[in-house]
Amino acid sequence: MTEKNNKKTIRSWAFFDWANSAYNLVITSTIFPAYYSAITSDKNDKTIDYVTFLGMKFVNSSLYSYAMAFAFLVIAIASPILSSIADTRGNKKIFMKMFTYIGATACGMLIFFKYDYATGVGNLNFSVLMFIIAAIGFWGSLVFYNSYLPEIATPDKQDAVSAKGFTYGYIGSVILQIICFVFVFFPKQFGLADEGAASRLSFLLVGVWWVAFAQIPFKNLPKGKPNLKASTGNVLTSGFKELQKVWNQVRKMKHIKRLLYAFFFYSMGVQTVMLMATIFGEKELHLPTEKLIGTILLLQIVAIPGAMLMSYLAKNFFGNVKVLIGVVVIWIGCCIYGYYIHTEMQFYILASVVGLIMGGIQSLSRSTYSKFLPQESPDHTSYFSFYDVAEKVALVFGMFSFGFIEELTGSMRNSILAIAVFFVVGLIFLLFVLKVEPKESKAVN
């Protein structure tokens, strides 16, 4: 039996966020999207930038959206199978390691990403595939990471522990981002040819950072408790049967069911905005790379007190669900505001607000779901697999919709406005959660 609320275990768990959040900042939020957008564009505002991937023609930013959507689809299909194995054998740490090493290696391979838009010469196909594999490694590890939360912390501590993980993640990623900044802004001083070479070096540094700091949780986290009762059946189908079993249980608990519906819809918006913010700033507002990277870094720094603030408000004043409702309302306002922005200052204002609420909604969503779960269940990985599959399927829809609407209308602004609709639907379901107050959920409602 794992000792709950052990400080060393919790710190080690949080260090996994420290390790892998560098990927989320450098690869999905700042340097990689800025680099990708720069080398796949002709820098002419009056033209649409097309690239050819695996023999098919795409708008460059839409290809980026589709690549992410495909990665999330792979995770949505694979994680139930792997979670089933982890639950049965109690070896979730092995899968955390596997996805970490796969993702970090793919990040390192992005150091070879070169492409000339004018001639179409380069290794775009290989590099986009590495980008997809890196995403699979990052998101695939999270289902096992998240499932540790109810095992290492009691319900009254889970908000704070969840927020601690995100805080470690933001601090760690910002530290590496600053290191990468130095190379990108001053490449000549380090013997690098230009900003492009410095950017590619940053991709390698992410992989090294990710693997190095992941050794802390790999050393100190428990292996996981085997569930021998689940050891029969076909491993390729038992995971999906387990999800069906979880769903059958969730359907009987209205508060969890409605929370998951809400989470599904607002997750379409949250992650899509975060993943596409840099490309939006480059394509629609034509902000230079250094300002985009600096803005996203500021966003990450602001997110640290944001996550802590949401946890504090939930614990001491309003409860988790009411705070989530307030945050989703702010997200809706941000999407509407984003549709109309045209200046650099407006982008900075929007980024500051998004920074305050992005960490809070992620941290509070995870801890609220964790609190709602049967705390002594041996199937935490399966419950969190269901949670993560819901998020990944939501992201498939969110990222695909973003890219498809842009290709259809010729503007990313229309895609942002469509995201507001996802938040509205999520808000409606959160309001329904408030109407269901079983004894076990009063503490968080």
Side-chain angles (χ1 to χ4, degrees):
M1 179 69 69
T2 303
E3 177 190 353
K4 294 189 177 184
N5 302 331
N6 180 281
K7 291 183 179 180
K8 180 179 180 181
T9 302
I10 289 173
R11 278 197 304 270
S12 298
W13 179 81
F15 257 106
F16 193 74
D17 242 322
W18 175 291
N20 69 9
S21 290
Y23 160 86
N24 211 17
L25 180 56
V26 176
I27 303 299
T28 66
S29 299
T30 57
I31 296 179
F32 181 83
Y35 177 78
Y36 170 85
S37 184
I39 67 173
T40 59
S41 169
D42 63 2
K43 311 298 188 298
N44 187 340
D45 297 344
K46 297 180 180 180
T47 61
I48 298 176
D49 301 313
Y50 289 98
V51 292
T52 300
F53 176 70
L54 300 180
M56 294 176 284
K57 190 176 181 181
F58 299 93
V59 174
N60 63 340
S61 51
S62 293
L63 173 60
Y64 185 92
S65 297
Y66 296 151
M68 291 299 296
F70 179 77
F72 295 135
L73 180 62
V74 171
I75 291 302
I77 295 171
S79 64
I81 300 172
L82 299 177
S83 296
S84 174
I85 299 173
D87 256 348
T88 300
R89 302 181 182 176
N91 58 356
K92 67 176 71 177
K93 190 192 290 189
I94 291 177
F95 289 102
M96 282 179 65
K97 289 181 178 180
M98 180 185 74
F99 278 106
T100 294
Y101 294 137
I102 289 173
T105 300
C107 277
M109 296 300 288
L110 288 173
I111 194 174
F112 301 111
F113 186 13
K114 294 183 179 180
Y115 181 76
D116 183 83
Y117 183 81
T119 63
V121 174
N123 56 1
L124 181 68
N125 288 344
F126 171 79
S127 299
V128 171
L129 289 174
M130 289 300 102
F131 173 65
I132 291 171
I133 292 172
I136 292 171
F138 172 77
W139 293 99
S141 67
L142 291 184
V143 62
F144 306 102
Y145 168 66
N146 287 337
S147 70
Y148 271 109
L149 183 56
E151 291 186 25
I152 65 174
T154 54
D156 61 308
K157 301 291 185 182
Q158 287 171 13
D159 284 344
V161 172
S162 182
K164 186 171 188 173
F166 278 103
T167 300
Y168 270 49
Y170 290 131
I171 294 173
S173 60
V174 166
I175 290 173
L176 181 61
Q177 179 74 92
I178 292 173
I179 294 172
C180 294
F181 273 177
V182 175
F183 289 110
V184 171
F185 293 160
F186 307 102
K188 300 294 185 182
Q189 283 81 344
F190 296 94
L192 300 170
D194 50 30
E195 285 186 11
S199 297
R200 293 190 296 273
L201 175 61
S202 298
F203 308 151
L204 177 61
L205 291 177
V206 169
V208 173
W209 178 283
W210 190 352
V211 168
F213 284 104
Q215 301 310 309
I216 298 173
F218 290 165
K219 179 181 179 181
N220 296 315
L221 283 178
K223 294 180 179 179
K225 297 176 291 184
N227 181 9
L228 299 178
K229 294 180 180 179
S231 61
T232 60
N234 187 327
V235 71
L236 296 179
T237 60
S238 60
F240 296 98
K241 290 179 180 178
E242 189 68 20
L243 288 186
Q244 181 64 48
K245 186 181 80 172
V246 171
W247 174 241
N248 290 338
Q249 294 170 346
V250 164
R251 289 171 63 185
K252 300 174 184 177
M253 299 178 280
K254 291 183 179 179
H255 53 304
I256 296 182
K257 182 175 68 172
R258 294 178 181 182
L259 176 67
L260 282 170
Y261 283 148
F263 175 72
F264 178 82
F265 282 100
Y266 67 65
S267 287
M268 288 189 197
V270 172
Q271 295 292 349
T272 302
V273 168
M274 292 168 60
L275 292 170
M276 298 304 296
T278 300
I279 291 183
F280 175 82
E282 197 278 334
K283 287 194 69 172
E284 294 290 334
L285 303 179
H286 313 296
L287 298 179
T289 300
E290 62 271 15
K291 289 186 177 181
L292 282 172
I293 296 175
T295 302
I296 302 300
L297 176 60
L298 173 65
L299 185 149
Q300 298 291 319
I301 295 174
V302 172
I304 297 172
M308 298 172 66
L309 175 63
M310 300 308 165
S311 175
Y312 177 78
L313 292 176
K315 180 179 180 180
N316 296 288
F317 294 99
F318 305 108
N320 292 36
V321 178
K322 289 181 180 178
V323 172
L324 282 173
I325 288 172
V327 173
V328 170
V329 170
I330 297 173
W331 272 105
I332 294 170
C334 287
C335 289
I336 296 173
Y337 181 70
Y339 178 82
Y340 291 102
I341 64 173
H342 289 88
T343 69
E344 185 176 320
M345 183 55 64
Q346 289 173 334
F347 183 74
Y348 296 153
I349 293 172
L350 179 61
S352 299
V353 176
V354 168
L356 278 174
I357 58 178
M358 75 174 189
I361 197 169
Q362 292 177 291
S363 173
L364 209 56
S365 296
R366 178 170 66 184
S367 61
T368 303
Y369 181 72
S370 180
K371 281 184 173 184
F372 280 169
L373 295 180
Q375 292 299 307
E376 300 306 320
S377 170
D379 298 328
H380 286 139
T381 304
S382 294
Y383 275 105
F384 270 97
S385 175
F386 192 92
Y387 177 86
D388 281 276
V389 167
E391 182 183 41
K392 301 309 171 289
V393 174
L395 284 168
V396 171
F397 282 105
M399 294 298 293
F400 181 83
S401 298
F402 196 96
F404 181 74
I405 292 171
E406 183 192 0
E407 283 204 305
L408 196 65
T409 65
S411 174
M412 297 178 78
R413 295 180 185 275
N414 296 320
S415 299
I416 290 180
L417 200 59
I419 286 175
V421 177
F422 301 150
F423 281 113
V424 170
V425 177
L427 174 63
I428 293 171
F429 279 111
L430 281 176
L431 293 173
F432 286 155
V433 174
L434 282 180
K435 295 182 179 181
V436 184
E437 298 189 25
K439 292 181 181 179
E440 64 267 30
S441 67
K442 286 183 178 179
V444 289
N445 280 345

